[in-house]
Amino acid sequence: MASRFWTQGGDSETEEEESDYEQEDNEVPVEDINKAAKSKYLQGSDTESDDEDGQKRVVKSVKDKRFEEMTATIDQMKNAMKINDWVSLQESFDKINKQLEKVMRVNESDRVPNVYIKALVMLEDFLNQALANKEAKKKMSSSNAKALNSMKQKLKKNNKQYEEMINKYRENPEVEEEEDGDDDDEDGEDEDSEFEEDPSKLGMESDAEEDEDKEAGEDDANETGPGWEKMMSKKDKLMDKQFKDPSQITWDTVNKKFKEIVAARGRKGTGRIELVEQLTFLTRVAKTPAQKLEILFSVVSAQFDVNPSLNTHMPINVWKKCVQNLLTILDILTQYTNIVVDDMVEPDENETQKGTDYNGAIRIWGNLVAFLERIDVEFFKSLQVIDPHTREYIERLRDEPTLAVLSQNVQEYLERAGDNKGAAKVALKRVELIYYKPQEVYDAMRKLAEQNEGGEGEADGEPKAVEESRAPPSFVATPEIVPRKSTFPESSRTLMDILVSLIYRSGDERTKARAMLCDIYHHALLDEFSTSRDLLLMSHLQDSIQHMDISTQILFNRAMAQLGLSAFRVGLIAEGHGCLSELYSAGRVKELLAQGVSQSRFHEKTPEQERMERRRQMPYHMHINLELLEAVHLICAMLLEVPNMAANSHDAKRKVISKTFRRLLEVSERQTFTGPPENVRDHVMAATRALRQGDYQKAFDVINSLDIWRLLRNKDSVLEMLRAKIKEEALRTYLFTYSSSYDSLSLDQLAKMFDLSDKQTHSIVSKMMITEELHASWDQPTRCMVFHDVEHTRLQALAFHLTEKLTVLAESNERAQESRIGGGGLENLPLRRRDGQDYAAAAASGGTARWQDLSFSQGRHGTGGGRTGYNAGGRTYSGQAGGFSRDRTGQSRGVGRTYQTGSAARASQMDGSTRMVSLNRGAYA
Amino acid sequence: MANYDLTPRIAPNLDRHLVFPLLEFLQERQLYPDQDILRAKLELLNQTNMVDYAMDIHRAFYHTEDVPQDMVDRRAEVVARLKALEEGASPLVSFLQNENAYQELRAEKQYNLQMLNERYQIGPEQIEALYQYAKFQFECGNYSGAADYLYLYRTLCTNSERSLSALWGKLAAEILMQNWDIALEELNRVKEIIDSKSFSSPLNQVQNRIWLMHWSLFIFFNHDNGRTQIIDLFNQDKYLNAIQTSAPHLLRYLATAFVVNKRRRPQFKDFIKVIQQEQYSYEDPITEFLACVYVKYDFDAAQQKMRECEEVILNDPFLGKRAEEGNFASVPLRDEFLENARLFIFETYCRIHQRIDMGVLAEKLNLNYEEAERWIVNLIRTSKLDAKIDSKTGTVLMEPNQPNVYEQLIDHTKALSGRTSKLVSQLLEHAQTQQAAR
């Protein structure tokens, strides 16, 4: 109680002293800014009183000044206490500790000034009070609460040293107060132990230990200090000292120290970087390879801890060191094959004591795969964060080969160790590094890797040598056994094949699925549309993708986009449209491909969602060009939709191939004035207008003027293909639109009009006749087509409408009755439709009806999640329900590739009529 | 023409012994140099026990009289082994050859085994020996013996894996003996087992199907009823999947079967789509011909392909089978194929034309003018074609067959009244039963 009273008293005192100051400035949180002013003010007030005995002040000079500073700080603390500002309190506390040091040095005393003790007591009481008051604690701002907590710990630690004095003070505050004056005069002999307290501020637990270390002598520290690393903290120097004498180092000391450091990991106030440095030092003095390995594992995980945040990436230099460490780990593992890395069993305490000559297996705890995945994630994150238009990004990208080397080595090691699952995981990482690279980029990377070898060898070699000479030689020297340069096969496809077949053999479900998607993507990238389509269809990924994690769904979307592009490049328009239309149906391509955040007008995202989304973004160099994608999609839609609209001009609503395209067209038609095309969309719309009038040349010119075509490798052939397709569709459109105005048309004229060869024209027109899109027939001797007048009159068309409606009515009646009475014996007579319509209807329904907006809000139950959800649900490849299910399991064509998920059972499920992929149906219907 | 030869693709899926007929055929057709074929034969034989035959080939190949020592040694070894195996299996063989004893066997395997064990001291070892003996017989080229023993073995065998192997062996033996009827039975038996058995991996199952299809080619193109059956087998989803996956070259045979078989129209349409889809993985003149007629409507190309098809058929060991009539040899399948192919072209051509010049038509059909006219008249007479010949201008006039609008309307609505009245009657019935229930 006394103490409590005391604090109160203390408070009131300060209040008196500083009342005017407080009036001036009520906002104490900004104390930092005012600190200087305030201390001046305080000093001023002191000097004011001192003015009378100015002489004396001169005499006192340094000693007093220090003392006064301390008092001033205490006053600040009191202030802070009053307004419950723990942040500034913490600062003041640190400050006072520093001042204490100075005071002591000046006084050359071993006794702590009473003022300091007084402050400590005060602080402690206030702290207890604050902690007791739970409610107030809750109200505190987060930074304040944090400061409070760290204060609690610091104080506890600090007070331990002065426990005796504090207790004395508590018993008898007055006495101490009286003695106050004297303590300046008391000079004690210098004692090291007091200085020792200093490092304790670093917050290390092992103070006691430290003291022992200290005995090795401070002088030594000074000598060795500059010896090897400037960056080392004082602490490390101490360690260095401790392990100075190689003969004294035993496995036990190292182990003890190691345990100690590891125990400190994750504690408040443990410097993350220091931890890494300490551990790195320990690796040098480790006695056995196993121990070195164990410590290295800790180093790596400590390095991972350097960056605590989930959103930012690990500092790049740390990342590089981390990679080096992992390589060293691999070196050791390769050198000593009897060391086994395992994360399943808790190894024996003294496992690492076994030396090199030990014959049996030594088990070390650790998980290389997890490390590698983490490294990869950090690399990925850094690329996400760095601005892609800067040099830094490019520099960062240069580290890719390093990562490739590492993963290659890890994979090789795992394969040797027989951990095929792990190897498959690592192989997946490698696959993910290369799958999006076209051959050119891959070659560039290969060259870079080779250059790196040459260039870096020299650059790296030198500093390393210097460092080596400076540093005490480590006990366990690890030669670089594992190659530091990865070996890339000539073609990216070869590498992919090797990796992917490994994964198919021994990966788990997710790994296999991802590898499959990468494989599909890569095949599509190389213009092997049919192969990648077959892969997709036989893997049945489109059925199960909505149950997978979001990043896999993104990968799926990317693969689909790439597949669409490749279909377009090889001239399969309908297929290309099938692949791409779903990406565009909701207008959220960016989001679906994770290439930027799309803003939704209707829905605000929570910060949480936004963060999540940001974390999923693809790095820039992996992006699929959105303009190109949009152009391809719209052109495909145009080529399909324009003749379709012309064919069904009387009821346009009936068969819509691409809703997106129709909508855009409506918008552009509504414009009263159409300016020259600016963006991709405008271009395609302009082309559409031309195409609808049968002006193929203009349509092609407009599309040709798009500058995205330069992104295509085989630009010329693609444009040539496009030209041919446009001509063809223009011809079809023309015939649909104007056939009713002609009685006959000559083949030559048609061919000339559309700049097609006779043969092509004949083939196109014949196809239309066969599918009954066009009611005409050839008159062979005159090379003319004769139109039959079978176009229904309006009355007839209406009559057909009526019959159709009647049928629907009858059917719904039957259904209603069936559900009422239950199971009528009525066989539902199928609607009779002509073949051609049937195809188109199937294709149309595939595009739209099967589409469901399934959101991914797995685990997140918020209602808000729905809208931002990834639309991977209900996705079927070009909308054919389980259509194509070729039992590809028996694939023996590739490199022993067997994707085993397909089963014979699946093949038997389907019925004969739907076996065909209607990809092709659409194309030729 | 060698580039359309499928032997290299088919051979890996056949038994060693089944390849010989193919090589014989190739030798006969003179597609490859004789030396190559002989060498291939020799290599094949090296793995079999048909040492005598191998020696013959060796002599022919090197044009010498002496044979290498290892062959002679091998011969001795084979003979010795044959003896040993015969001995091992002899108790069972003698039992089985004994009519009376054989009668004692019953339908139930367990009983048989027990009975054999008790009365004749024939245990599993002897049964196993029988299998080995039969296998050795087969390898030596004694197919009939092998077939007999395998059949017997199957009646006693309890191991289903072994039983399947035995069945394959029997099938091969029957094929090589050209007993097509029995072979067909065996084929169906194997098929049943493959379809019903659960394989360790789907891959195995597919592989088995592929084998089965390859082996079946021998039977189907020799059996009278084979051409329908090949469609039945190959066009099943499971088998078609297997073809598309691993053996697209089999499409040639399926395509040919479809062409020569007129009654398979509904499946034919689907098949065209398969061909289209597999264009990237397999193409030969026969499939291209179908693509030309039914996908591209390019009749000139179709005609071109038709000529190529003829070559392909003649050079295919399965399709180009000779039928000898006196000293006049013909390839029946070729004639049939060409006839049907012509019809295909003509049919499609007619569908899109109103008037066709006879001369052009004759050219398209690979016929001369008179032949063409006769052919068309025949078609019209058998009412396969709704057309008239305008003799003066030398054209064929197609009769328009546009469906009448009114007919269509009636078609659409015809069923409606029936359905409605049925509906009403059902409703009434329902109401009555409900009332009655009350």
Side-chain angles (χ1 to χ4, degrees):
Chain A
M1 270 299 119
S3 61
R4 177 140 197 187
F5 166 70
W6 189 86
T7 358
Q8 294 288 345
D11 276 337
S12 58
E13 270 174 36
T14 43
E15 219 161 316
E16 277 164 28
E17 268 180 32
E18 295 186 4
S19 54
D20 37 355
Y21 167 73
E22 290 240 339
Q23 275 162 10
E24 271 172 39
D25 196 349
N26 278 333
E27 280 182 270
V28 191
V30 280
E31 212 170 2
D32 278 350
I33 313 160
N34 297 331
K35 209 174 270 169
K38 190 164 75 179
S39 59
K40 235 177 237 165
Y41 165 77
L42 287 172
Q43 259 177 340
S45 73
D46 274 7
T47 42
E48 227 171 293
S49 59
D50 283 352
D51 262 2
E52 290 141 34
D53 43 3
Q55 292 289 75
K56 203 183 173 188
R57 191 186 57 149
V58 179
V59 176
K60 266 187 175 179
S61 63
V62 193
K63 215 193 256 182
D64 278 9
K65 224 180 196 166
R66 299 275 178 245
F67 200 69
E68 269 158 27
E69 268 171 21
M70 206 161 171
T71 344
T73 319
I74 292 171
D75 283 342
Q76 271 175 28
M77 284 167 74
K78 281 180 190 162
N79 253 343
M81 275 183 207
K82 241 185 296 175
I83 55 154
N84 214 358
D85 181 358
W86 286 96
V87 182
S88 54
L89 203 56
Q90 198 181 357
E91 273 165 20
S92 308
F93 181 69
D94 287 346
K95 200 161 142 199
I96 204 170
N97 271 332
K98 255 177 225 147
Q99 284 165 350
L100 175 73
E101 190 189 343
K102 281 183 195 157
V103 168
M104 305 273 277
R105 200 177 296 149
V106 171
N107 287 355
E108 301 184 331
S109 77
D110 61 332
R111 264 201 63 192
V112 187
N114 262 1
V115 196
Y116 181 69
I117 299 295
K118 197 168 106 191
L120 284 185
V121 171
M122 185 174 78
L123 211 54
E124 198 175 50
D125 290 339
F126 185 61
L127 188 80
N128 289 337
Q129 203 181 323
L131 287 176
N133 193 351
K134 287 255 167 68
E135 205 131 307
K137 204 172 150 191
K138 256 181 219 161
K139 277 185 208 155
M140 270 183 218
S141 71
S142 65
S143 61
N144 218 5
K146 217 167 161 187
L148 169 65
N149 277 331
S150 64
M151 250 331 261
K152 190 172 90 186
Q153 308 221 330
K154 275 190 192 169
L155 200 64
K156 208 163 136 202
K157 226 175 281 167
N158 201 31
N159 282 7
K160 236 180 231 164
Q161 302 160 20
Y162 310 103
E163 215 163 28
E164 209 178 307
M165 294 171 84
I166 290 171
N167 286 341
K168 227 197 272 171
Y169 181 81
R170 280 184 196 264
E171 278 163 26
N172 196 356
E174 304 310 316
V175 177
E176 292 292 319
E177 207 112 46
E178 278 168 21
E179 278 179 14
D180 223 356
D182 300 341
D183 83 329
D184 302 4
D185 308 325
E186 270 183 56
D187 286 354
E189 289 311 310
D190 200 3
E191 249 187 55
D192 280 1
S193 62
E194 284 298 324
F195 268 99
E196 278 303 310
E197 305 316 331
D198 205 11
S200 72
K201 265 191 282 178
L202 292 171
M204 294 303 299
E205 267 270 276
S206 49
D207 283 2
E209 181 78 14
E210 202 90 337
D211 293 355
E212 289 166 24
D213 303 350
K214 187 72 183 178
E215 286 161 19
E218 201 156 69
D219 299 353
D220 291 2
N222 292 335
E223 278 170 27
T224 52
W228 49 291
E229 215 161 282
K230 282 174 207 150
M231 273 169 61
M232 278 219 152
S233 67
K234 193 170 179 188
K235 178 93 183 170
D236 290 302
K237 284 180 202 156
L238 296 178
M239 286 190 20
D240 193 21
K241 238 178 298 148
Q242 185 187 359
F243 295 114
K244 176 78 171 132
D245 186 2
S247 58
Q248 280 175 15
I249 301 173
T250 61
W251 179 83
D252 274 323
T253 45
V254 177
N255 192 41
K256 200 166 143 208
K257 192 73 202 163
F258 171 62
K259 291 268 148 60
E260 209 172 85
I261 295 172
V262 168
R265 183 185 162 198
R267 295 249 174 96
K268 267 270 140 58
T270 312
R272 295 197 177 89
I273 298 180
E274 279 152 39
L275 195 69
V276 172
E277 277 160 11
Q278 288 163 11
L279 286 169
T280 316
F281 174 73
L282 273 186
T283 57
R284 285 230 175 74
V285 295
K287 272 307 219 185
T288 63
Q291 190 177 33
K292 181 165 180 182
L293 199 66
E294 193 182 15
I295 298 171
L296 268 173
F297 273 123
S298 303
V299 174
V300 174
S301 32
Q303 277 169 332
F304 286 139
D305 281 350
V306 166
N307 164 44
S309 157
L310 209 57
N311 289 317
T312 55
H313 60 95
M314 191 164 151
I316 287 164
N317 54 347
V318 178
W319 187 87
K320 282 182 180 158
K321 270 187 209 152
C322 200
V323 171
Q324 289 309 320
N325 280 332
L326 275 174
L327 284 172
T328 319
I329 289 179
L330 286 173
D331 283 335
I332 298 177
L333 285 174
T334 326
Q335 194 181 3
Y336 306 101
T337 41
N338 57 340
I339 302 181
V340 181
V341 177
D342 201 341
D343 64 341
M344 295 308 283
V345 281
E346 198 59 38
D348 197 6
E349 183 72 7
N350 293 332
E351 191 86 19
T352 57
Q353 196 164 6
K354 296 161 185 164
T356 39
D357 45 352
Y358 184 78
N359 273 335
I362 307 178
R363 307 182 83 83
I364 303 282
W365 187 91
N367 189 343
L368 279 174
V369 180
F371 280 164
L372 187 85
E373 281 180 342
R374 185 72 199 273
I375 285 267
D376 182 65
V377 165
E378 292 295 344
F379 182 70
F380 192 79
K381 268 202 288 192
S382 67
L383 286 171
Q384 279 179 331
V385 173
I386 298 170
D387 178 7
H389 303 292
T390 56
R391 205 168 156 63
E392 197 189 353
Y393 192 82
I394 296 165
E395 288 296 322
R396 188 65 183 140
L397 270 183
R398 278 168 189 268
D399 292 335
E400 207 167 50
T402 327
L403 186 57
V405 178
L406 180 65
S407 28
Q408 187 183 353
N409 287 327
V410 172
Q411 189 194 331
E412 272 162 18
Y413 170 73
L414 289 173
E415 273 172 35
R416 271 202 304 277
D419 180 5
N420 282 331
K421 257 201 152 117
K425 274 188 187 156
V426 177
L428 177 66
K429 291 292 157 207
R430 294 179 66 197
V431 166
E432 284 176 7
L433 275 183
I434 54 167
Y435 78 93
Y436 57 89
K437 292 189 172 76
Q439 185 65 39
E440 292 88 353
V441 180
Y442 177 81
D443 285 341
M445 184 174 91
R446 208 157 50 101
K447 271 199 202 98
L448 177 71
E450 274 158 18
Q451 277 171 7
N452 267 4
E453 171 62 12
E456 230 164 66
E458 285 167 35
D460 262 9
E462 216 164 311
K464 207 178 275 172
V466 174
E467 198 181 296
E468 211 62 38
S469 63
R470 275 193 209 149
S474 49
F475 292 106
V476 185
T478 356
E480 291 192 355
I481 296 171
V482 177
R484 294 301 198 258
K485 182 182 129 190
S486 69
T487 44
F488 292 109
E490 275 292 313
S491 104
S492 54
R493 191 61 246 168
T494 329
L495 184 56
M496 282 291 282
D497 280 337
I498 296 168
L499 294 174
V500 161
S501 53
L502 171 81
I503 296 172
Y504 294 158
R505 260 207 310 283
S506 45
D508 57 20
E509 272 312 298
R510 180 175 182 269
T511 317
K512 272 198 270 190
R514 283 190 76 95
M516 179 59 93
L517 287 170
C518 292
D519 203 14
I520 291 168
Y521 188 103
H522 194 256
H523 273 297
L525 203 62
L526 299 180
D527 279 352
E528 294 165 16
F529 172 74
S530 43
T531 323
S532 74
R533 177 197 61 190
D534 288 351
L535 279 176
L536 180 76
L537 292 177
M538 79 189 189
S539 63
H540 288 254
L541 277 170
Q542 69 270 34
D543 301 335
S544 55
I545 190 70
Q546 59 264 46
H547 305 302
M548 297 193 189
D549 57 328
I550 295 163
S551 106
T552 310
Q553 290 184 1
I554 291 171
L555 188 60
F556 179 81
N557 290 341
R558 282 166 58 77
M560 283 303 279
Q562 199 57 249
L563 202 60
L565 288 180
S566 101
F568 176 76
R569 282 194 300 260
V570 294
L572 299 166
I573 301 299
E575 284 85 342
H577 182 256
C579 295
L580 296 178
S581 63
E582 276 168 33
L583 278 178
Y584 278 88
S585 64
R588 290 203 307 249
V589 209
K590 276 189 187 170
E591 198 178 315
L592 290 176
L593 293 177
Q595 296 186 174
V597 190
S598 53
Q599 298 296 329
S600 168
R601 236 181 307 163
F602 312 106
H603 184 71
E604 284 287 306
K605 282 173 203 154
T606 62
E608 171 69 10
Q609 284 171 334
E610 239 167 76
R611 253 203 308 282
M612 295 267 287
E613 210 175 312
R614 199 143 290 147
R615 223 173 290 154
R616 288 195 288 266
Q617 293 300 306
M618 285 288 144
Y620 184 71
H621 66 288
M622 295 169 74
H623 281 194
I624 299 170
N625 187 300
L626 285 177
E627 277 203 341
L628 180 64
L629 201 63
E630 192 186 5
V632 167
H633 168 239
L634 287 179
I635 290 170
C636 287
M638 173 184 83
L639 289 175
L640 296 174
E641 189 69 91
V642 168
N644 179 39
M645 284 191 315
N648 303 297
S649 50
H650 48 281
D651 52 349
K653 288 281 182 296
R654 187 135 155 239
K655 284 181 295 182
V656 177
I657 294 173
S658 168
K659 271 200 173 134
T660 331
F661 181 79
R662 285 273 173 110
R663 212 175 45 236
L664 290 177
L665 193 63
E666 264 168 40
V667 170
S668 95
E669 271 171 354
R670 235 180 280 145
Q671 286 170 341
T672 34
F673 171 72
T674 38
E678 278 168 8
N679 54 16
V680 172
R681 197 178 294 172
D682 291 348
H683 275 86
V684 179
M685 287 306 133
T688 308
R689 275 193 295 275
L691 194 60
R692 289 180 80 172
Q693 284 151 16
D695 188 350
Y696 73 91
Q697 190 57 48
K698 192 177 164 201
F700 177 71
D701 287 346
V702 171
I703 282 175
N704 195 20
S705 67
L706 281 171
D707 58 353
I708 39 154
W709 297 123
R710 73 194 147 75
L711 296 173
L712 289 180
R713 207 176 321 142
N714 42 2
K715 175 186 161 196
D716 293 332
S717 63
V718 168
L719 283 175
E720 203 40 57
M721 176 278 295
L722 199 55
R723 196 180 153 82
K725 290 276 174 201
I726 286 177
K727 275 191 225 169
E728 195 178 306
E729 297 306 329
L731 170 63
R732 278 160 54 80
T733 314
Y734 177 81
L735 285 178
F736 278 133
T737 320
Y738 298 109
S739 65
S740 54
S741 326
Y742 289 98
D743 196 32
S744 66
L745 256 174
S746 92
L747 176 65
D748 302 320
Q749 196 195 344
L750 267 185
K752 217 171 92 194
M753 261 171 87
F754 293 96
D755 188 26
L756 287 161
S757 71
D758 283 4
K759 214 166 145 189
Q760 273 174 308
T761 321
H762 189 271
S763 163
I764 295 167
V765 175
S766 301
K767 210 179 286 173
M768 288 172 76
M769 289 174 180
I770 290 274
T771 53
E772 293 183 34
E773 287 173 323
L774 192 66
H775 301 284
S777 50
W778 290 107
D779 187 51
Q780 199 260 332
T782 52
R783 290 167 64 83
C784 275
M785 48 193 295
V786 181
F787 294 96
H788 303 295
D789 193 19
V790 288
E791 278 301 306
H792 297 160
T793 61
R794 178 141 181 83
L795 178 66
Q796 284 162 346
L798 286 175
F800 275 113
H801 261 277
L802 182 67
T803 54
E804 239 161 73
K805 293 242 160 83
L806 282 175
T807 321
V808 172
L809 187 68
E811 256 168 29
S812 68
N813 270 342
E814 271 160 18
R815 258 197 299 275
Q817 190 232 21
E818 208 168 302
S819 65
R820 272 301 280 239
I821 303 174
L826 290 181
E827 74 274 42
N828 279 350
L829 293 172
L831 266 178
R832 271 190 44 173
R833 276 199 190 143
R834 281 175 301 173
D835 262 5
Q837 286 176 344
D838 219 347
Y839 295 151
S845 75
T848 53
R850 312 212 90 254
W851 171 258
Q852 321 156 14
D853 197 335
L854 262 196
S855 65
F856 69 90
S857 51
Q858 314 144 340
R860 206 196 319 141
H861 299 294
T863 46
R867 287 201 70 95
T868 49
Y870 271 79
N871 269 356
R875 171 160 302 163
T876 48
Y877 182 65
S878 117
Q880 288 318 302
F884 184 89
S885 48
R886 294 159 45 161
D887 196 351
R888 277 261 175 188
T889 47
Q891 176 73 285
S892 53
R893 244 186 247 161
V895 200
R897 164 182 311 146
T898 52
Y899 191 82
Q900 298 271 6
T901 48
S903 69
R906 196 191 302 126
S908 60
Q909 286 169 13
M910 61 204 173
D911 76 30
S913 61
T914 59
R915 178 167 33 71
M916 294 303 309
V917 146
S918 81
L919 277 178
N920 299 341
R921 251 195 217 170
Y924 296 99
Chain B
M1 275 327 281
N3 50 343
Y4 293 120
D5 182 32
L6 288 182
T7 317
R9 296 177 78 166
I10 291 176
N13 293 301
L14 292 177
D15 190 271
R16 226 160 242 293
H17 298 253
L18 291 175
V19 183
F20 283 111
L22 300 188
L23 288 179
E24 295 285 354
F25 182 85
L26 287 180
Q27 201 169 10
E28 202 177 306
R29 292 297 302 174
Q30 305 274 319
L31 280 180
Y32 300 100
D34 253 1
Q35 288 298 310
D36 287 359
I37 290 179
L38 282 178
R39 193 183 302 127
K41 273 190 184 175
L42 205 55
E43 265 166 37
L44 271 181
L45 286 169
N46 271 342
Q47 301 293 319
T48 67
N49 293 330
M50 294 153 79
V51 190
D52 285 338
Y53 187 38
M55 283 173 176
D56 286 345
I57 305 269
H58 187 269
R59 282 191 202 106
F61 183 52
Y62 294 105
H63 304 294
T64 55
E65 273 309 305
D66 29 278
V67 287
Q69 188 57 38
D70 56 338
M71 270 195 177
V72 180
D73 291 349
R74 197 166 145 68
R75 191 188 139 79
E77 190 190 314
V78 166
V79 172
R81 186 151 161 69
L82 186 64
K83 281 264 152 36
L85 283 171
E86 196 173 357
E87 214 139 281
S90 61
L92 190 53
V93 173
S94 60
F95 160 76
L96 292 169
Q97 275 161 356
N98 181 346
E99 273 298 318
N100 292 334
Y102 190 65
Q103 293 299 322
E104 288 178 43
L105 291 179
R106 301 214 191 136
E108 200 189 339
K109 267 186 193 170
Q110 282 307 325
Y111 168 81
N112 285 346
L113 289 179
Q114 206 179 349
M115 190 266 292
L116 279 179
N117 211 355
E118 279 167 9
R119 274 202 248 164
Y120 300 92
Q121 285 79 44
I122 295 173
E125 292 109 57
Q126 276 80 14
I127 297 181
E128 176 63 24
L130 179 67
Y131 174 76
Q132 295 298 348
Y133 182 54
K135 189 162 172 252
F136 205 80
Q137 285 275 4
F138 180 81
E139 279 168 6
C140 292
N142 181 3
Y143 304 123
S144 64
D148 288 346
Y149 291 132
L150 284 172
Y151 174 72
L152 296 174
Y153 173 74
R154 271 180 49 74
T155 58
L156 295 172
C157 165
T158 47
N159 182 346
S160 69
E161 282 295 323
R162 262 298 155 69
S163 171
L164 184 58
S165 316
L167 204 51
W168 279 110
K170 180 100 189 329
L171 177 57
E174 296 296 348
I175 289 174
L176 287 164
M177 287 189 299
Q178 310 203 335
N179 292 335
W180 305 123
D181 284 323
I182 305 173
L184 192 61
E185 274 169 38
E186 298 298 333
L187 182 77
N188 286 331
R189 225 167 274 157
V190 176
K191 176 176 174 282
E192 259 166 49
I193 293 179
I194 290 177
D195 287 347
S196 59
K197 195 171 157 240
S198 60
F199 280 84
S200 55
S201 87
L203 187 67
N204 269 336
Q205 196 167 19
V206 170
Q207 193 56 54
N208 270 302
R209 290 207 174 114
I210 297 282
W211 286 337
L212 185 72
M213 281 188 282
H214 279 99
W215 293 31
S216 72
L217 291 176
F218 287 98
I219 303 168
F220 286 145
F221 286 103
N222 285 303
H223 195 265
D224 299 334
N225 209 8
R227 288 172 210 160
T228 27
Q229 282 175 343
I230 189 175
I231 298 179
D232 289 342
L233 178 70
F234 283 24
N235 210 32
Q236 280 179 28
D237 289 333
K238 293 174 206 161
Y239 289 86
L240 201 53
N241 281 335
I243 291 179
Q244 288 183 316
T245 311
S246 307
H249 51 270
L250 288 177
L251 285 176
R252 170 191 289 184
Y253 301 103
L254 189 52
T256 317
F258 265 119
V259 172
V260 296
N261 221 315
K262 289 163 212 142
R263 289 170 312 217
R264 294 290 179 161
R265 281 311 154 87
Q267 289 131 306
F268 189 55
K269 267 195 171 166
D270 285 341
F271 180 66
I272 296 290
K273 282 164 199 153
V274 175
I275 284 183
Q276 237 173 287
Q277 208 178 304
E278 290 302 318
Q279 252 170 355
Y280 71 92
S281 61
Y282 179 73
E283 259 185 342
D284 76 9
I286 297 182
T287 61
E288 280 172 50
F289 166 75
L290 288 178
C292 281
V293 178
Y294 287 98
V295 180
K296 292 188 222 145
Y297 303 104
D298 184 346
F299 299 101
D300 294 333
Q303 189 196 337
Q304 175 69 27
K305 292 290 168 205
M306 209 163 103
R307 274 190 219 116
E308 284 175 32
C309 284
E310 195 177 344
E311 284 292 306
V312 171
I313 290 174
L314 285 179
N315 285 319
D316 189 286
F318 300 108
L319 303 176
K321 200 188 59 143
R322 301 295 176 87
E324 308 272 342
E325 280 172 35
N327 46 11
F328 178 72
S330 72
V331 180
L333 201 91
R334 176 191 61 180
D335 304 339
E336 219 170 316
F337 181 89
L338 290 183
E339 173 71 18
N340 278 301
R342 204 168 286 147
L343 202 61
F344 278 172
I345 296 182
F346 184 64
E347 244 176 33
T348 320
Y349 200 71
C350 290
R351 264 181 77 190
I352 56 170
H353 280 81
Q354 191 186 32
R355 204 155 58 105
I356 310 164
D357 188 81
M358 288 276 275
V360 176
L361 198 59
E363 190 190 316
K364 287 246 189 309
L365 297 173
N366 267 354
L367 297 169
N368 61 33
Y369 192 89
E370 261 81 63
E371 270 180 334
E373 189 168 356
R374 201 176 306 130
W375 196 69
I376 291 165
V377 170
N378 264 332
L379 281 181
I380 297 173
R381 276 185 53 206
T382 51
S383 66
K384 273 182 186 162
L385 184 69
D386 198 6
K388 294 258 159 28
I389 294 178
D390 184 340
S391 193
K392 189 180 162 203
T393 50
T395 52
V396 184
L397 276 173
M398 301 296 144
E399 300 289 318
N401 60 342
Q402 294 299 333
N404 191 320
V405 182
Y406 304 107
E407 274 173 22
Q408 280 179 33
L409 267 181
I410 291 167
D411 263 4
H412 281 212
T413 43
K414 210 191 287 171
L416 279 180
S417 67
R419 279 161 79 177
T420 317
S421 64
K422 198 168 179 185
L423 196 68
V424 170
S425 71
Q426 270 194 345
L427 268 176
L428 283 176
E429 212 172 283
H430 180 68
Q432 275 165 2
T433 49
Q434 280 212 328
Q435 265 180 352
R438 259 176 228 164

